Each structure stands twice: as C-alpha cells, then as structure tokens.
Amino acid sequence: EYIGGALHQVDAYVMRDQKLWGQQVRLRLGVKHLADLENNHARKTGFTTKADGTNVYTYSYIEPPICDLTVTVRF
C-alpha cells in the first residue's frame, strides 16, 4: 500500500504592463508554494511496518512560500 507523497500546490502571480518614460514595462509579482491542498505543514512520504503490524510514518516538511518580483523593459 502506498501512502502519502502527493502534492497539490497552488501558485499565483499578478502582472501589470505599463508605459514608463516611453518604454514598455512589465511588472510580475509571483508566489510559489502559496498553499498545498493535499498537506498542511508536513506530508507523509513513506512508512515502515513494525513486527506488531503498526506503521511508523516518515514525514517531510512542505516548502515555504517563495516570492519573486520581475521587471522587464522592452526597448
């Protein structure tokens, strides 16, 4: 039986195009790993079954949100 390991991450971004000083400028603000719909702060990535039949799970931390800002100027 396979348990855990699945990710359902939600990323988001907003973009704005604008002319500044006669140049076309694009601003993009993004967030990766905004939310994980499958897991909270940790997820099960595997398990070991002990001799008495109980499972001992292995957990991994979910990556924290990562923000980025990109500015592009078209000459």
Side-chain angles (χ1 to χ4, degrees), residues 29-61:
L29 176 64
V31 180
K32 292 182 181 179
H33 316 300
L34 182 62
D36 188 341
L37 302 178
E38 288 289 325
N39 307 284
N40 291 325
H41 298 293
R43 64 185 168 122
K44 294 177 187 174
T45 55
F47 67 95
T48 302
T49 303
K50 296 180 0 181
D52 64 1
T54 60
N55 291 333
V56 178
Y57 294 102
T58 305
Y59 291 93
S60 298
Y61 287 108

Side-chain angles (χ1 to χ4, degrees), residues 9-13 28 30-35 63-68:
Q9 294 178 342
V10 177
D11 301 336
Y13 68 90
R28 182 185 184 278
V31 180
K32 292 182 181 179
H33 316 300
L34 182 62
E63 293 186 45
I66 300 170
C67 298
D68 66 89

